[in-house]
Amino acid sequence: MAKPRKTYVCQACGSVSNRWQGQCPDCAEWNTMVEQSAPTAFSARHDLQTGGQRIALARLDAVVTLPPRISTGISEFDRALGGGLVAGSATLMGGDPGIGKSTLLLQASANMARAGHSIIYISGEEAADQVRLRAMRLGLADAPIDLASATSVRDILTTLRSMDAPVMLVIDSIQTMHSDLIEGAPGTVSQVRASAQELIRFAKESGCAVILVGHVTKDGSIAGPRVLEHMVDTVMSFEGERSHQYRILRSIKNRFGATDEIGVFAMEEAGLSEVGNPSSLFLSDRDAQMPGTSVFPALEGTRPVLVEIQALTVRLSSGATPRRAVVGWDSGRLAMVLAVLEARCGLSFSTAEVYLNVAGGYRLSDPAADMAVAAALISAISERPIGAATIVFGELALSGELRPVAHAGLRLREAAKLGFEKALVPASVTAKGKAETGGMRLTSYTRLANLVDQLLGRN
């Protein structure tokens, strides 16, 4: 009999190697390679063309009644999901420890249970009484939720198949689940993959919506193999800083909706509360006459969010190397904006330290923020404030030209609702009537140098 071939699997990234190594060649993590037996040719069935069961085929053009979406009772949660939970779907929710994942799911479970849906909440990290204490603190103790504390996937599925399938099943968390068919401790790559596969299979067969809570690594990505993200239907990321009040629920992958939608929450004493107007949260207590600030209408899916960009420049006389510090934006993109301001607009930042901050702990990835960052830097170095009721947006090219941005009308209308009256935009954004711009006055520029001349009062 052939000797069983053994492989070594990295517990951090899932990379497979034929020999043990101290450092994973793919993710460079140390001491993460764990031995895993692979099936041999004698143990595997060679011919898979016979011996199985016929499966039922369905026509794509058949007229069927599609399952309706299930509301969680939290509109911001439903928005991020694309309209609510889909029956039989599998959702993976990740986030930093203590960010509010369990709190959000417990609040959603309570709302759905009070609406008459059967909800099962299984915790592998807390006892049922500990979950009950948290529910009492949040004012949810009267919700008819079925609680359990278990880590065995076999026990969980045996219990679920002995009763009517619930509408929603919450597993908190998938890293604590254990399958007795696989060797290894809970949390290893093989255990996470096998446990998730069995739970997802139950969701597809029974029509129960399953939500899996996932841990994250130190760099913020969801722990476990990347194949786990491919197995589920929806991947949600719960983001935010503990020092800030707001939390953002972002959809990274969604087979049933858009991946750009976000839900905004505020952490309060009684749990998470919805923020229907995120712009008011990020623009509160703003000093409009302070130089070095600009307002940028960021776009998250179909929702514009107005945020304040703050810039500070400090001149150095000692000849030391100036520092560049960025919070909430890409540092490489800041270097590009500074280079364009120096090479194309005649402004010198080589002897000044530059600090850039996006207020409220918000993180920007929209390329349309280039012009707003440049305006804040120009205002900071010249000590000239930008207008109080002015927004700025536009993408910057290395040639100094200002490029068009997507959904300009949506950004303008949202800013007009919040009382802004003027917008500094690229020349490609043309006024198309009050219905398109919300009645805002547009000042257009073809090059960044034109914006610099106006903000500095040059002729």
Side-chain angles (χ1 to χ4, degrees):
M1 181 176 295
K3 183 178 180 180
R5 185 172 62 90
K6 294 185 178 182
T7 58
Y8 296 86
V9 181
C10 175
Q11 304 302 300
C13 68
S15 175
V16 180
S17 175
N18 292 328
R19 60 186 181 87
W20 185 87
Q21 302 177 71
Q23 185 181 31
C24 175
D26 291 335
C27 66
E29 293 289 336
W30 288 91
N31 300 323
T32 58
M33 306 297 291
V34 176
E35 180 181 327
Q36 178 176 310
S37 298
T40 64
F42 295 95
S43 62
R45 182 186 295 271
H46 292 279
D47 187 9
L48 297 179
Q49 302 181 23
T50 59
Q53 298 180 355
R54 295 188 60 183
I55 59 176
L57 302 177
R59 289 288 297 270
L60 178 62
D61 57 355
V63 179
V64 297
T65 302
L66 298 178
R69 287 187 178 267
I70 308 166
S71 174
T72 61
I74 304 176
S75 59
E76 293 294 309
F77 196 3
D78 292 341
R79 182 188 185 100
L81 288 170
L85 287 170
V86 177
S89 63
T91 302
L92 176 64
M93 179 177 291
D96 293 333
I99 203 67
K101 303 183 298 294
S102 301
T103 299
L104 177 62
L105 292 177
L106 190 58
Q107 291 182 225
S109 300
N111 291 338
M112 296 177 66
R114 289 168 178 167
H117 299 296
S118 57
I119 308 297
I120 295 181
Y121 190 104
I122 297 180
S123 175
E125 302 174 349
E126 299 176 284
D129 289 340
Q130 293 175 329
V131 178
R132 187 175 289 108
L133 285 174
R134 180 152 46 90
M136 293 176 61
R137 178 176 60 85
L138 300 175
L140 309 174
D142 60 336
I145 305 174
D146 293 326
L147 301 177
S149 177
T151 58
S152 172
V153 177
R154 183 184 295 274
D155 295 344
I156 293 172
L157 294 179
T158 300
T159 303
L160 293 174
R161 295 189 183 279
S162 65
M163 55 189 294
D164 294 336
V167 174
M168 184 176 74
L169 169 66
V170 178
I171 302 294
D172 188 5
S173 65
I174 187 62
Q175 274 79 14
T176 61
M177 295 296 110
H178 177 268
S179 172
D180 54 14
L181 298 178
I182 302 295
E183 294 184 0
T188 58
V189 170
S190 56
Q191 283 289 349
V192 171
R193 183 189 295 116
S195 300
Q197 183 177 5
E198 293 300 323
L199 292 169
I200 293 172
R201 182 186 302 173
F202 170 77
K204 304 303 179 184
E205 293 176 352
S206 64
C208 168
V210 175
I211 298 182
L212 309 175
V213 178
H215 294 167
V216 296
T217 60
K218 58 184 178 181
D219 62 350
S221 59
I222 297 177
R226 293 303 300 268
V227 70
L228 183 60
E229 299 183 21
H230 297 286
M231 293 167 61
V232 298
D233 301 308
T234 307
V235 179
M236 312 293 294
S237 176
F238 208 36
E239 305 171 357
E241 298 290 338
R242 292 189 181 184
S243 57
H244 292 89
Q245 184 184 17
Y246 87 97
R247 303 286 189 271
I248 291 181
L249 181 63
R250 192 183 305 273
S251 175
I252 301 177
K253 168 191 173 182
N254 195 346
R255 289 175 177 163
F256 313 114
T259 57
D260 295 329
E261 297 292 346
I262 64 170
V264 183
F265 301 87
M267 178 62 75
E268 299 177 351
E269 185 177 354
L272 292 166
S273 63
E274 302 177 65
V275 178
N277 185 7
S279 300
S280 62
L281 183 66
F282 298 116
L283 293 179
S284 60
D285 301 328
R286 174 175 174 265
D287 187 357
Q289 300 302 320
M290 181 66 66
T293 63
S294 64
V295 177
F296 168 64
L299 198 65
E300 295 285 354
T302 59
R303 164 181 283 180
V305 179
L306 272 68
V307 295
E308 182 184 20
I309 297 178
Q310 304 169 349
L312 176 65
T313 59
V314 181
R315 289 293 183 184
L316 297 178
S317 58
S318 61
T321 302
R323 184 183 180 188
R324 307 287 190 255
V326 188
V327 177
W329 205 47
D330 184 15
S331 58
R333 208 160 183 90
L334 172 63
M336 183 199 75
V337 173
L338 291 174
V340 173
L341 285 171
E342 291 213 21
R344 308 297 183 187
C345 305
L347 295 179
S348 177
F349 291 88
S350 58
T351 59
E353 291 187 338
V354 176
Y355 301 90
L356 188 74
N357 176 51
V358 180
Y362 195 84
R363 180 159 188 85
L364 288 175
S365 58
D366 194 341
D370 292 348
M371 190 171 170
V373 170
L377 292 170
I378 298 167
S379 175
I381 201 169
S382 64
E383 294 293 330
R384 291 171 175 258
I386 302 175
T390 304
I391 63 170
V392 189
F393 63 90
E395 185 177 355
L396 180 61
L398 291 179
S399 62
E401 296 177 345
L402 296 175
R403 299 287 181 82
V405 299
H407 307 290
L410 189 60
R411 301 173 196 260
L412 293 171
R413 290 193 298 271
E414 178 67 18
K417 292 178 183 178
L418 295 174
F420 289 86
E421 302 172 355
K422 184 179 179 182
L424 308 182
V425 297
S428 57
V429 180
T430 57
K432 299 180 180 180
K434 186 175 181 179
E436 180 69 18
T437 64
M440 298 190 66
R441 294 181 287 108
L442 304 185
T443 304
S444 303
Y445 307 91
T446 56
R447 303 182 64 85
L448 183 61
N450 304 133
L451 175 63
V452 173
D453 293 340
Q454 178 175 332
L455 293 181
L456 298 183
R458 296 173 179 173
N459 295 328

